[in-house]
Amino acid sequence: MISFIWYLIIGGVLGWLAGVILGKDIPGGIIGNIVAGVVGSWIGSMVLGNWGWRVSNFYVFPALIGAVVLIFIVSIILKSMRKAT
């Protein structure tokens, strides 16, 4: 149970950092941060492999890069959807 809580905390921090790096707001607030961090971590680990610092089953650098890419893509999609309406 404790590892799951750490998983959510680290995922939220990584999602928040990715939003700060891009200068974009993540839709959904803290839940959006957690989702972006966790999904970004999965994407980053699949594409870039596992390297760098490891914190609570997250490899920080691939996870952060994956979260940045995920937020960038989601922001482009949301921006195009707003223009379409």
Side-chain angles (χ1 to χ4, degrees):
M1 180 67 177
I2 297 295
S3 65
F4 179 72
I5 293 171
W6 274 111
Y7 196 73
L8 294 177
I9 291 170
I10 300 300
V13 169
L14 287 171
W16 172 77
L17 277 173
V20 168
I21 289 170
L22 285 175
K24 306 216 182 259
D25 289 332
I26 301 170
I30 188 105
I31 302 298
N33 283 340
I34 292 171
V35 170
V38 171
V39 174
S41 170
W42 179 74
I43 291 169
S45 294
M46 295 297 284
V47 174
L48 301 172
N50 296 327
W51 52 275
W53 293 324
R54 182 176 175 194
V55 178
S56 180
N57 293 333
F58 286 97
Y59 287 91
V60 176
F61 296 120
L64 186 59
I65 292 169
V68 166
V69 169
L70 177 69
I71 292 170
F72 181 72
I73 291 170
V74 168
S75 68
I76 288 174
I77 292 169
L78 290 177
K79 188 175 182 180
S80 68
M81 287 175 64
R82 282 187 213 129
K83 283 185 178 180
T85 59

